[in-house]
């Protein structure tokens, strides 16, 4: 008996000597929307501007990770850069509703805790991603909408702007063109350009935690308080340390029906799929099967990542210890 306890003591004393702390391979992946983004769509100058802003967002998020910051902080930093840019359909560059307003949606999810926050239909919040995170961290709820969301934002001391802050000349011209098309051909579907456009980020921090966030201005000419997939947890955003983190962009109605983000993570967690295989299956089989298109960005706790889309292009970028790239068109990877 004395020998047994002696051996048992040796086991417990020796165990820490074999334990090692492994830092996760910090990674951030971002997107700025998917859609009809074929080569020649933009001038060389416009391409430079888009890639510069994607790089700025990518670096903002990666700097957080490189300094030991949390994945949540990294995705927020990256998304704020894109929300503040008139180039993307989120925040400053949001598209217009049928009534000529800008209504913004956003969500965030923490893979370590499965906590999530989302907002829909806000019109005066400068950075909706900040409000989504405040909902997650400072309330018992997951989603707030419209006036209620803005009342909560006021209590949280978040920055408000006048609605005209979000207006850009380019989006206004697109809005007018969409109205004209609708007037002359009410039965004709709007082009993809009027339906798509979102920004998002997924990240893996040094502690092995993943997080995801998504922000959008929605669909041009949307009516009746329409809400797309961006603020819907499981559709446009999902994160779980047991599988992966996902942010989606595309025609929101299909992403909601197919619970795109959750499906990818479920295939990884329960089916043992890689993030690339799961994303390819969901985008090229399920989404394609419904005649829809769009894309996703994904990162797993082991640092593997994927950027998958079945549209002509997707604004995207990735950065880790060995890779740093930004791209627009489908043939750039």
């Amino acid at each position: 008996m004395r020998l047994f306890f002696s051996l048992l003591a040796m086991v417990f004393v020796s165990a820490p000597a074999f334990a090692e702390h492994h830092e996760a391979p910090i990674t951030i992946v971002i997107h700025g929307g998917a859609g009809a983004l074929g080569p020649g769509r933009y001038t060389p100058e416009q391409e430079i501007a888009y890639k510069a802003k994607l790089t700025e967002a990518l670096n903002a998020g990666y700097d957080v990770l490189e300094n030991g910051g949390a994945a949540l902080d990294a995705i927020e930093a990256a998304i704020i850069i894109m929300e503040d840019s008139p180039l993307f359909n989120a925040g400053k560059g949001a598209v217009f509703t049928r009534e000529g307003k800008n209504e913004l949606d956003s969500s965030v999810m923490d893979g370590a805790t499965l906590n999530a926050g989302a907002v829909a239909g806000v019109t005066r919040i400068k950075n909706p991603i900040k409000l989504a995170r405040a909902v997650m961290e400072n309330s018992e709820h997951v989603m707030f909408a419209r006036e209620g969301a803005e009342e909560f934002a006021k209590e949280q001391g978040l920055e408000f702007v006048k609605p005209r802050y979000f207006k850009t000349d380019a989006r206004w011209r697109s809005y007018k063109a969409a109205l004209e098309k609708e007037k002359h051909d009410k039965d004709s579907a709007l082009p993809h350009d009027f339906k798509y456009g979102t920004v998002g980020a997924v990240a893996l921090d040094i502690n092995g935690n993943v997080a995801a966030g998504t922000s959008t201005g929605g669909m041009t000419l949307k009516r009746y308080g329409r809400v797309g997939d961006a603020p819907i947890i499981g559709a446009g955003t999902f994160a779980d340390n047991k599988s992966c983190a996902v942010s989606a962009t595309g025609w929101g109605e299909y992403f909601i029906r197919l619970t795109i983000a959750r499906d990818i993570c479920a295939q990884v967690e329960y089916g043992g799929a890689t993030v690339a295989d799961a994303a390819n299956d969901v985008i090229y089989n399920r989404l394609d099967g419904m005649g829809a298109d769009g894309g996703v960005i994904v990162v797993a706790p082991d640092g593997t990542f994927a950027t998958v889309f079945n549209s002509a292009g997707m604004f995207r970028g990735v950065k880790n210890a060995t890779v740093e790239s930004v791209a627009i068109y489908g043939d750039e990877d």
Side-chain angles (χ1 to χ4, degrees):
M1 182 65 72
R2 182 177 299 172
L3 177 61
F4 171 78
F5 281 114
S6 297
L7 290 172
L8 188 62
M10 287 175 62
V11 171
F12 282 110
V13 169
S14 300
F18 294 99
E20 294 182 15
H21 175 66
H22 295 285
E23 296 180 346
I26 59 173
T27 304
I28 185 165
V29 190
I30 64 173
H31 72 76
L37 309 176
R41 166 69 185 272
Y42 298 107
T43 66
E45 293 76 17
Q46 288 173 321
E47 290 178 4
I48 290 171
Y50 274 111
K51 289 185 175 182
K53 190 57 65 173
L54 288 170
T55 300
E56 181 184 349
L58 202 60
N59 288 338
Y62 193 78
D63 286 349
V64 172
L65 299 174
E66 202 168 31
N67 287 306
L72 277 169
D73 294 327
I75 63 165
E76 182 178 348
I79 291 173
I80 285 172
I81 295 294
M82 293 185 283
E83 284 181 338
D84 288 347
S85 170
L87 296 175
F88 304 103
N89 177 17
K92 177 67 174 175
V95 300
F96 289 88
T97 67
R98 180 66 174 72
E99 292 73 30
K101 299 178 180 179
N102 306 109
E103 295 181 354
L104 314 175
D105 307 329
S106 187
S107 64
V108 65
M109 188 165 183
D110 178 6
T113 63
L114 299 189
N115 287 336
V119 294
V122 297
T123 61
R124 299 183 295 156
I125 308 302
K126 183 175 185 288
N127 293 112
I129 192 66
K130 289 185 177 183
L131 180 53
R133 184 168 180 180
V135 173
M136 178 182 74
E137 296 180 335
N138 301 327
S139 84
E140 61 181 325
H141 305 294
V142 172
M143 179 183 285
F144 292 147
R146 305 177 75 83
E147 294 84 358
E150 295 190 351
E151 181 181 350
F152 178 75
K154 189 175 298 183
E155 292 177 0
Q156 296 299 305
L158 296 181
E159 184 175 358
F160 278 66
V161 293
K162 294 184 183 300
R164 65 172 177 268
Y165 163 82
F166 301 106
K167 180 180 179 179
T168 65
D169 291 340
R171 297 297 188 196
W172 188 251
R173 287 194 297 270
S174 293
Y175 165 64
K176 289 295 189 181
L179 280 179
E180 193 67 18
K181 180 177 178 61
E182 181 186 65
K183 182 171 67 175
H184 291 291
D185 191 357
K186 293 185 181 297
D187 296 326
S188 177
L190 290 172
H192 283 359
D193 293 358
F194 293 109
K195 298 186 174 74
Y196 296 359
T198 300
V199 306
V202 294
L204 167 66
D205 64 32
I206 199 169
N207 296 312
N209 296 318
V210 296
T214 311
S215 185
T216 187
M219 180 190 293
T220 299
L221 295 192
K222 63 183 180 180
R223 304 183 71 176
Y224 314 116
R226 178 262 187 188
V227 176
D229 66 306
I232 306 299
I233 302 303
T237 300
F238 196 80
D240 187 344
N241 281 4
K242 293 179 180 179
S243 53
C244 56
V246 180
S247 175
T249 171
W251 194 339
E253 278 69 16
Y254 291 95
F255 281 70
I256 294 171
R257 294 168 189 164
L258 295 172
T259 59
I260 291 288
R262 178 64 181 123
D263 191 346
I264 291 170
C265 291
Q267 288 196 32
V268 173
E269 181 178 358
Y270 302 120
T274 66
V275 293
D277 286 345
N280 278 311
D281 176 62
V282 170
I283 296 300
Y284 289 112
N285 292 328
R286 298 196 69 204
L287 193 64
D288 257 352
M290 293 191 73
D293 56 0
V296 293
I297 54 173
V298 192
V299 69
D302 64 1
T304 56
F305 64 88
T307 61
V308 178
F309 53 95
N310 65 349
S311 51
M314 179 171 75
F315 295 108
R316 61 200 184 277
V318 59
K319 187 170 184 177
N320 59 23
T322 58
V323 177
E324 181 178 359
S325 69
V326 295
I328 302 173
Y329 308 119
D331 58 354
E332 291 186 79
D333 294 328

Short mmCIF file of all heavy atoms in Angstrom, two decimals, residues 211-273:
data_model
loop_
_atom_site.label_atom_id
_atom_site.label_comp_id
_atom_site.label_asym_id
_atom_site.label_seq_id
_atom_site.Cartn_x
_atom_site.Cartn_y
_atom_site.Cartn_z
N ALA A 211 -13.48 33.87 -32.96
CA ALA A 211 -14.62 34.79 -32.90
C ALA A 211 -14.99 35.18 -34.32
O ALA A 211 -14.17 35.11 -35.24
CB ALA A 211 -14.29 36.02 -32.08
N ALA A 212 -16.24 35.62 -34.49
CA ALA A 212 -16.73 36.04 -35.81
C ALA A 212 -17.62 37.26 -35.66
O ALA A 212 -18.32 37.44 -34.66
CB ALA A 212 -17.52 34.91 -36.47
N GLY A 213 -17.60 38.11 -36.69
CA GLY A 213 -18.47 39.28 -36.71
C GLY A 213 -18.84 39.64 -38.13
O GLY A 213 -18.08 39.38 -39.07
N THR A 214 -20.01 40.23 -38.31
CA THR A 214 -20.52 40.59 -39.62
C THR A 214 -21.29 41.90 -39.51
O THR A 214 -21.96 42.14 -38.50
CB THR A 214 -21.46 39.49 -40.17
OG1 THR A 214 -20.83 38.22 -40.03
CG2 THR A 214 -21.80 39.72 -41.63
N SER A 215 -21.22 42.75 -40.54
CA SER A 215 -21.92 44.04 -40.52
C SER A 215 -22.35 44.39 -41.94
O SER A 215 -21.60 44.15 -42.90
CB SER A 215 -21.00 45.13 -39.95
OG SER A 215 -21.68 46.35 -39.82
N THR A 216 -23.55 44.97 -42.09
CA THR A 216 -24.06 45.23 -43.43
C THR A 216 -25.07 46.37 -43.47
O THR A 216 -25.70 46.69 -42.46
CB THR A 216 -24.74 43.97 -44.00
OG1 THR A 216 -25.08 44.18 -45.37
CG2 THR A 216 -25.98 43.61 -43.21
N GLY A 217 -25.23 46.91 -44.66
CA GLY A 217 -26.31 47.85 -44.92
C GLY A 217 -27.50 47.16 -45.57
O GLY A 217 -28.53 47.79 -45.87
N GLY A 218 -27.36 45.85 -45.83
CA GLY A 218 -28.48 45.08 -46.36
C GLY A 218 -28.61 45.15 -47.87
O GLY A 218 -27.63 45.24 -48.60
N MET A 219 -29.83 45.12 -48.33
CA MET A 219 -30.15 45.03 -49.75
C MET A 219 -30.75 46.35 -50.25
O MET A 219 -31.61 46.93 -49.61
CB MET A 219 -31.16 43.90 -49.95
CG MET A 219 -31.61 43.66 -51.37
SD MET A 219 -33.01 42.50 -51.46
CE MET A 219 -32.20 40.99 -50.90
N THR A 220 -30.28 46.81 -51.41
CA THR A 220 -30.85 48.00 -52.02
C THR A 220 -32.36 47.81 -52.25
O THR A 220 -32.80 46.75 -52.69
CB THR A 220 -30.17 48.29 -53.38
OG1 THR A 220 -28.78 48.52 -53.15
CG2 THR A 220 -30.77 49.51 -54.05
N LEU A 221 -33.13 48.83 -51.90
CA LEU A 221 -34.59 48.86 -52.05
C LEU A 221 -35.32 47.91 -51.10
O LEU A 221 -36.49 47.60 -51.31
CB LEU A 221 -35.03 48.56 -53.50
CG LEU A 221 -34.65 49.56 -54.58
CD1 LEU A 221 -35.42 49.27 -55.86
CD2 LEU A 221 -34.88 50.99 -54.15
N LYS A 222 -34.65 47.44 -50.06
CA LYS A 222 -35.35 46.58 -49.10
C LYS A 222 -36.50 47.35 -48.47
O LYS A 222 -36.44 48.56 -48.29
CB LYS A 222 -34.38 46.05 -48.04
CG LYS A 222 -33.76 47.12 -47.15
CD LYS A 222 -32.76 46.49 -46.18
CE LYS A 222 -32.12 47.55 -45.29
NZ LYS A 222 -31.14 46.98 -44.35
N ARG A 223 -37.57 46.63 -48.10
CA ARG A 223 -38.78 47.26 -47.58
C ARG A 223 -39.27 46.55 -46.32
O ARG A 223 -38.82 45.45 -46.00
CB ARG A 223 -39.88 47.24 -48.63
CG ARG A 223 -39.49 47.88 -49.96
CD ARG A 223 -40.65 47.88 -50.93
NE ARG A 223 -41.69 48.82 -50.53
CZ ARG A 223 -42.78 49.06 -51.25
NH1 ARG A 223 -42.98 48.42 -52.40
NH2 ARG A 223 -43.69 49.91 -50.84
N TYR A 224 -40.21 47.20 -45.66
CA TYR A 224 -40.95 46.61 -44.54
C TYR A 224 -40.05 46.16 -43.38
O TYR A 224 -40.35 45.20 -42.69
CB TYR A 224 -41.79 45.41 -45.03
CG TYR A 224 -42.56 45.67 -46.29
CD1 TYR A 224 -42.28 44.97 -47.45
CD2 TYR A 224 -43.55 46.65 -46.34
CE1 TYR A 224 -43.00 45.20 -48.63
CE2 TYR A 224 -44.27 46.89 -47.50
CZ TYR A 224 -43.99 46.17 -48.65
OH TYR A 224 -44.69 46.41 -49.80
N GLY A 225 -38.92 46.84 -43.20
CA GLY A 225 -38.03 46.47 -42.11
C GLY A 225 -37.30 45.16 -42.35
O GLY A 225 -36.92 44.45 -41.40
N ARG A 226 -37.08 44.80 -43.63
CA ARG A 226 -36.42 43.55 -43.98
C ARG A 226 -35.09 43.40 -43.25
O ARG A 226 -34.30 44.33 -43.11
CB ARG A 226 -36.19 43.50 -45.49
CG ARG A 226 -35.45 42.24 -45.99
CD ARG A 226 -33.98 42.50 -46.18
NE ARG A 226 -33.30 41.36 -46.82
CZ ARG A 226 -31.99 41.26 -46.97
NH1 ARG A 226 -31.20 42.21 -46.52
NH2 ARG A 226 -31.45 40.19 -47.55
N VAL A 227 -34.84 42.20 -42.76
CA VAL A 227 -33.57 41.86 -42.10
C VAL A 227 -32.97 40.66 -42.82
O VAL A 227 -33.66 39.68 -43.09
CB VAL A 227 -33.80 41.51 -40.61
CG1 VAL A 227 -32.49 41.05 -39.97
CG2 VAL A 227 -34.36 42.72 -39.87
N GLY A 228 -31.71 40.75 -43.15
CA GLY A 228 -31.03 39.66 -43.84
C GLY A 228 -30.31 38.74 -42.87
O GLY A 228 -30.65 38.65 -41.69
N ASP A 229 -29.29 38.05 -43.38
CA ASP A 229 -28.61 37.04 -42.57
C ASP A 229 -27.54 37.61 -41.65
O ASP A 229 -27.17 36.95 -40.66
CB ASP A 229 -27.97 35.99 -43.48
CG ASP A 229 -26.84 36.58 -44.32
OD1 ASP A 229 -27.10 37.59 -45.02
OD2 ASP A 229 -25.72 36.08 -44.28
N ALA A 230 -27.03 38.80 -41.94
CA ALA A 230 -25.88 39.33 -41.19
C ALA A 230 -26.08 39.35 -39.68
O ALA A 230 -25.16 39.00 -38.93
CB ALA A 230 -25.51 40.71 -41.70
N PRO A 231 -27.26 39.74 -39.15
CA PRO A 231 -27.42 39.72 -37.71
C PRO A 231 -28.00 38.43 -37.14
O PRO A 231 -28.24 38.34 -35.93
CB PRO A 231 -28.41 40.87 -37.48
CG PRO A 231 -29.31 40.81 -38.67
CD PRO A 231 -28.41 40.38 -39.82
N ILE A 232 -28.21 37.45 -38.01
CA ILE A 232 -28.81 36.19 -37.56
C ILE A 232 -27.72 35.20 -37.17
O ILE A 232 -26.96 34.72 -38.02
CB ILE A 232 -29.71 35.57 -38.64
CG1 ILE A 232 -30.76 36.59 -39.13
CG2 ILE A 232 -30.37 34.30 -38.12
CD1 ILE A 232 -31.71 37.06 -38.05
N ILE A 233 -27.63 34.88 -35.88
CA ILE A 233 -26.64 33.94 -35.41
C ILE A 233 -26.94 32.56 -35.99
O ILE A 233 -28.06 32.05 -35.87
CB ILE A 233 -26.62 33.88 -33.86
CG1 ILE A 233 -26.34 35.28 -33.29
CG2 ILE A 233 -25.59 32.86 -33.37
CD1 ILE A 233 -25.05 35.92 -33.76
N GLY A 234 -25.96 31.97 -36.64
CA GLY A 234 -26.14 30.68 -37.29
C GLY A 234 -26.33 30.80 -38.78
O GLY A 234 -26.09 29.84 -39.52
N ALA A 235 -26.76 31.96 -39.24
CA ALA A 235 -26.93 32.19 -40.68
C ALA A 235 -25.74 32.96 -41.24
O ALA A 235 -24.98 32.45 -42.07
CB ALA A 235 -28.23 32.93 -40.94
N GLY A 236 -25.58 34.21 -40.78
CA GLY A 236 -24.48 35.03 -41.27
C GLY A 236 -23.26 35.02 -40.40
O GLY A 236 -22.16 35.37 -40.85
N THR A 237 -23.41 34.61 -39.15
CA THR A 237 -22.31 34.62 -38.18
C THR A 237 -22.42 33.42 -37.25
O THR A 237 -23.52 33.11 -36.79
CB THR A 237 -22.35 35.90 -37.32
OG1 THR A 237 -22.24 37.05 -38.17
CG2 THR A 237 -21.22 35.93 -36.31
N PHE A 238 -21.30 32.76 -37.00
CA PHE A 238 -21.27 31.73 -35.97
C PHE A 238 -19.82 31.48 -35.56
O PHE A 238 -18.91 31.57 -36.38
CB PHE A 238 -21.88 30.41 -36.46
CG PHE A 238 -22.21 29.46 -35.34
CD1 PHE A 238 -23.36 29.62 -34.60
CD2 PHE A 238 -21.34 28.43 -35.00
CE1 PHE A 238 -23.67 28.76 -33.54
CE2 PHE A 238 -21.62 27.57 -33.96
CZ PHE A 238 -22.79 27.73 -33.22
N ALA A 239 -19.62 31.17 -34.27
CA ALA A 239 -18.28 30.85 -33.78
C ALA A 239 -18.37 29.90 -32.60
O ALA A 239 -19.19 30.09 -31.70
CB ALA A 239 -17.55 32.13 -33.36
N ASP A 240 -17.51 28.89 -32.62
CA ASP A 240 -17.47 27.90 -31.54
C ASP A 240 -16.06 27.31 -31.51
O ASP A 240 -15.57 26.82 -32.54
CB ASP A 240 -18.51 26.80 -31.80
CG ASP A 240 -18.65 25.82 -30.64
OD1 ASP A 240 -17.75 25.80 -29.78
OD2 ASP A 240 -19.64 25.07 -30.62
N ASN A 241 -15.41 27.35 -30.36
CA ASN A 241 -14.06 26.81 -30.25
C ASN A 241 -14.00 25.31 -30.56
O ASN A 241 -12.93 24.77 -30.83
CB ASN A 241 -13.52 27.03 -28.84
CG ASN A 241 -13.01 28.45 -28.62
OD1 ASN A 241 -13.11 29.31 -29.50
ND2 ASN A 241 -12.46 28.71 -27.45
N LYS A 242 -15.15 24.64 -30.53
CA LYS A 242 -15.18 23.21 -30.84
C LYS A 242 -15.13 22.95 -32.34
O LYS A 242 -14.96 21.81 -32.77
CB LYS A 242 -16.44 22.56 -30.27
CG LYS A 242 -16.49 22.52 -28.75
CD LYS A 242 -17.78 21.87 -28.28
CE LYS A 242 -17.87 21.83 -26.77
NZ LYS A 242 -19.15 21.22 -26.31
N SER A 243 -15.29 23.99 -33.14
CA SER A 243 -15.33 23.78 -34.59
C SER A 243 -14.61 24.89 -35.35
O SER A 243 -13.49 24.72 -35.80
CB SER A 243 -16.77 23.63 -35.06
OG SER A 243 -17.56 24.75 -34.62
N CYS A 244 -15.25 26.06 -35.45
CA CYS A 244 -14.68 27.13 -36.26
C CYS A 244 -15.47 28.42 -36.08
O CYS A 244 -16.45 28.45 -35.33
CB CYS A 244 -14.66 26.74 -37.74
SG CYS A 244 -16.28 26.29 -38.43
N ALA A 245 -15.03 29.46 -36.76
CA ALA A 245 -15.74 30.73 -36.80
C ALA A 245 -16.04 31.06 -38.26
O ALA A 245 -15.18 30.87 -39.13
CB ALA A 245 -14.91 31.84 -36.16
N VAL A 246 -17.25 31.57 -38.52
CA VAL A 246 -17.70 31.82 -39.89
C VAL A 246 -18.37 33.20 -39.98
O VAL A 246 -19.17 33.57 -39.11
CB VAL A 246 -18.72 30.76 -40.35
CG1 VAL A 246 -19.18 31.04 -41.79
CG2 VAL A 246 -18.15 29.36 -40.24
N SER A 247 -18.06 33.94 -41.04
CA SER A 247 -18.82 35.13 -41.41
C SER A 247 -19.20 34.98 -42.88
O SER A 247 -18.37 34.59 -43.70
CB SER A 247 -18.01 36.41 -41.20
OG SER A 247 -18.73 37.55 -41.67
N ALA A 248 -20.46 35.28 -43.19
CA ALA A 248 -20.98 35.03 -44.53
C ALA A 248 -21.35 36.33 -45.24
O ALA A 248 -21.58 37.37 -44.63
CB ALA A 248 -22.20 34.13 -44.45
N THR A 249 -21.44 36.23 -46.56
CA THR A 249 -21.91 37.34 -47.39
C THR A 249 -22.61 36.78 -48.62
O THR A 249 -22.12 35.85 -49.26
CB THR A 249 -20.74 38.25 -47.83
OG1 THR A 249 -21.22 39.18 -48.82
CG2 THR A 249 -19.59 37.46 -48.44
N GLY A 250 -23.77 37.33 -48.92
CA GLY A 250 -24.52 36.84 -50.08
C GLY A 250 -25.97 37.27 -49.97
O GLY A 250 -26.30 38.22 -49.27
N TRP A 251 -26.82 36.56 -50.68
CA TRP A 251 -28.25 36.88 -50.66
C TRP A 251 -28.83 36.31 -49.37
O TRP A 251 -29.05 35.12 -49.21
CB TRP A 251 -28.93 36.26 -51.88
CG TRP A 251 -30.30 36.79 -52.14
CD1 TRP A 251 -31.14 37.41 -51.26
CD2 TRP A 251 -31.00 36.74 -53.39
NE1 TRP A 251 -32.32 37.75 -51.86
CE2 TRP A 251 -32.27 37.35 -53.17
CE3 TRP A 251 -30.70 36.24 -54.65
CZ2 TRP A 251 -33.21 37.46 -54.19
CZ3 TRP A 251 -31.65 36.36 -55.66
CH2 TRP A 251 -32.89 36.96 -55.43
N GLY A 252 -29.11 37.19 -48.42
CA GLY A 252 -29.40 36.81 -47.05
C GLY A 252 -30.53 35.82 -46.86
O GLY A 252 -30.46 34.96 -45.97
N GLU A 253 -31.57 35.93 -47.67
CA GLU A 253 -32.72 35.03 -47.50
C GLU A 253 -32.30 33.57 -47.61
O GLU A 253 -32.78 32.70 -46.87
CB GLU A 253 -33.79 35.35 -48.54
CG GLU A 253 -34.69 36.53 -48.17
CD GLU A 253 -33.99 37.89 -48.19
OE1 GLU A 253 -32.89 38.00 -48.78
OE2 GLU A 253 -34.53 38.85 -47.61
N TYR A 254 -31.38 33.27 -48.53
CA TYR A 254 -30.92 31.89 -48.70
C TYR A 254 -30.00 31.47 -47.56
O TYR A 254 -30.03 30.32 -47.11
CB TYR A 254 -30.20 31.74 -50.04
CG TYR A 254 -31.15 31.85 -51.21
CD1 TYR A 254 -31.32 33.06 -51.86
CD2 TYR A 254 -31.87 30.73 -51.65
CE1 TYR A 254 -32.20 33.16 -52.94
CE2 TYR A 254 -32.74 30.83 -52.72
CZ TYR A 254 -32.91 32.05 -53.37
OH TYR A 254 -33.78 32.16 -54.42
N PHE A 255 -29.18 32.39 -47.08
CA PHE A 255 -28.28 32.07 -45.99
C PHE A 255 -29.04 31.80 -44.70
O PHE A 255 -28.63 30.99 -43.88
CB PHE A 255 -27.27 33.20 -45.81
CG PHE A 255 -26.15 33.16 -46.82
CD1 PHE A 255 -26.38 33.45 -48.16
CD2 PHE A 255 -24.85 32.84 -46.43
CE1 PHE A 255 -25.36 33.41 -49.09
CE2 PHE A 255 -23.83 32.79 -47.36
CZ PHE A 255 -24.07 33.08 -48.70
N ILE A 256 -30.17 32.49 -44.54
CA ILE A 256 -31.02 32.23 -43.38
C ILE A 256 -31.68 30.85 -43.50
O ILE A 256 -31.66 30.05 -42.56
CB ILE A 256 -32.11 33.31 -43.24
CG1 ILE A 256 -31.47 34.67 -42.91
CG2 ILE A 256 -33.11 32.93 -42.15
CD1 ILE A 256 -32.43 35.84 -42.97
N ARG A 257 -32.26 30.56 -44.65
CA ARG A 257 -32.94 29.27 -44.84
C ARG A 257 -31.99 28.09 -44.64
O ARG A 257 -32.41 27.04 -44.14
CB ARG A 257 -33.54 29.21 -46.25
CG ARG A 257 -34.66 30.19 -46.50
CD ARG A 257 -34.99 30.25 -47.97
NE ARG A 257 -35.91 31.32 -48.27
CZ ARG A 257 -36.13 31.80 -49.51
NH1 ARG A 257 -35.49 31.27 -50.52
NH2 ARG A 257 -36.96 32.79 -49.70
N LEU A 258 -30.75 28.26 -45.05
CA LEU A 258 -29.79 27.17 -45.01
C LEU A 258 -28.91 27.19 -43.76
O LEU A 258 -28.06 26.31 -43.60
CB LEU A 258 -28.90 27.21 -46.26
CG LEU A 258 -29.61 26.96 -47.59
CD1 LEU A 258 -28.67 27.23 -48.77
CD2 LEU A 258 -30.14 25.53 -47.65
N THR A 259 -29.12 28.16 -42.89
CA THR A 259 -28.26 28.33 -41.71
C THR A 259 -26.80 28.05 -42.08
O THR A 259 -26.12 27.20 -41.50
CB THR A 259 -28.70 27.43 -40.53
OG1 THR A 259 -28.67 26.05 -40.93
CG2 THR A 259 -30.08 27.81 -40.05
N ILE A 260 -26.33 28.82 -43.04
CA ILE A 260 -25.03 28.58 -43.66
C ILE A 260 -23.89 28.50 -42.65
O ILE A 260 -23.11 27.54 -42.64
CB ILE A 260 -24.72 29.68 -44.70
CG1 ILE A 260 -25.65 29.57 -45.92
CG2 ILE A 260 -23.25 29.65 -45.13
CD1 ILE A 260 -25.39 28.40 -46.82
N ALA A 261 -23.76 29.51 -41.78
CA ALA A 261 -22.63 29.56 -40.88
C ALA A 261 -22.62 28.38 -39.91
O ALA A 261 -21.59 27.75 -39.67
CB ALA A 261 -22.62 30.88 -40.11
N ARG A 262 -23.79 28.06 -39.34
CA ARG A 262 -23.87 26.96 -38.39
C ARG A 262 -23.64 25.62 -39.07
O ARG A 262 -23.03 24.71 -38.49
CB ARG A 262 -25.25 26.96 -37.69
CG ARG A 262 -25.43 25.81 -36.71
CD ARG A 262 -24.45 25.92 -35.55
NE ARG A 262 -24.61 24.80 -34.62
CZ ARG A 262 -23.64 23.96 -34.28
NH1 ARG A 262 -22.44 24.11 -34.81
NH2 ARG A 262 -23.85 23.00 -33.41
N ASP A 263 -24.11 25.48 -40.29
CA ASP A 263 -23.94 24.22 -41.01
C ASP A 263 -22.45 23.91 -41.19
O ASP A 263 -22.01 22.77 -41.00
CB ASP A 263 -24.63 24.30 -42.37
CG ASP A 263 -24.72 22.95 -43.08
OD1 ASP A 263 -24.03 22.01 -42.65
OD2 ASP A 263 -25.47 22.84 -44.05
N ILE A 264 -21.68 24.91 -41.57
CA ILE A 264 -20.24 24.71 -41.76
C ILE A 264 -19.60 24.24 -40.46
O ILE A 264 -18.85 23.26 -40.44
CB ILE A 264 -19.58 26.00 -42.27
CG1 ILE A 264 -20.03 26.29 -43.71
CG2 ILE A 264 -18.05 25.89 -42.20
CD1 ILE A 264 -19.63 27.65 -44.22
N CYS A 265 -19.92 24.92 -39.36
CA CYS A 265 -19.33 24.54 -38.07
C CYS A 265 -19.80 23.16 -37.62
O CYS A 265 -19.04 22.41 -37.01
CB CYS A 265 -19.67 25.59 -37.02
SG CYS A 265 -18.84 27.19 -37.30
N ALA A 266 -21.04 22.81 -37.92
CA ALA A 266 -21.56 21.50 -37.54
C ALA A 266 -20.85 20.39 -38.30
O ALA A 266 -20.54 19.33 -37.74
CB ALA A 266 -23.06 21.43 -37.80
N GLN A 267 -20.57 20.62 -39.57
CA GLN A 267 -19.85 19.61 -40.35
C GLN A 267 -18.45 19.40 -39.79
O GLN A 267 -17.93 18.28 -39.77
CB GLN A 267 -19.77 20.03 -41.81
CG GLN A 267 -21.07 19.92 -42.56
CD GLN A 267 -20.89 19.97 -44.06
OE1 GLN A 267 -19.88 19.52 -44.60
NE2 GLN A 267 -21.88 20.52 -44.76
N VAL A 268 -17.83 20.48 -39.33
CA VAL A 268 -16.49 20.37 -38.73
C VAL A 268 -16.56 19.64 -37.40
O VAL A 268 -15.78 18.73 -37.14
CB VAL A 268 -15.87 21.77 -38.55
CG1 VAL A 268 -14.56 21.69 -37.76
CG2 VAL A 268 -15.62 22.44 -39.90
N GLU A 269 -17.52 20.04 -36.55
CA GLU A 269 -17.60 19.47 -35.20
C GLU A 269 -18.09 18.03 -35.20
O GLU A 269 -17.51 17.16 -34.53
CB GLU A 269 -18.53 20.31 -34.34
CG GLU A 269 -18.67 19.80 -32.91
CD GLU A 269 -19.55 20.67 -32.02
OE1 GLU A 269 -20.04 21.71 -32.50
OE2 GLU A 269 -19.75 20.30 -30.84
N TYR A 270 -19.16 17.74 -35.91
CA TYR A 270 -19.78 16.42 -35.82
C TYR A 270 -19.35 15.46 -36.94
O TYR A 270 -19.39 14.25 -36.77
CB TYR A 270 -21.30 16.56 -35.85
CG TYR A 270 -21.83 17.42 -34.75
CD1 TYR A 270 -22.55 18.58 -35.02
CD2 TYR A 270 -21.60 17.09 -33.42
CE1 TYR A 270 -23.03 19.38 -33.99
CE2 TYR A 270 -22.07 17.89 -32.39
CZ TYR A 270 -22.79 19.03 -32.68
OH TYR A 270 -23.26 19.82 -31.66
N GLY A 271 -18.95 16.03 -38.07
CA GLY A 271 -18.57 15.18 -39.20
C GLY A 271 -17.07 15.04 -39.39
O GLY A 271 -16.62 14.26 -40.24
N GLY A 272 -16.30 15.82 -38.65
CA GLY A 272 -14.85 15.74 -38.79
C GLY A 272 -14.32 16.34 -40.07
O GLY A 272 -13.17 16.09 -40.47
N ALA A 273 -15.12 17.17 -40.75
CA ALA A 273 -14.68 17.79 -41.99
C ALA A 273 -13.65 18.88 -41.73
O ALA A 273 -13.62 19.47 -40.65
CB ALA A 273 -15.88 18.38 -42.73
#
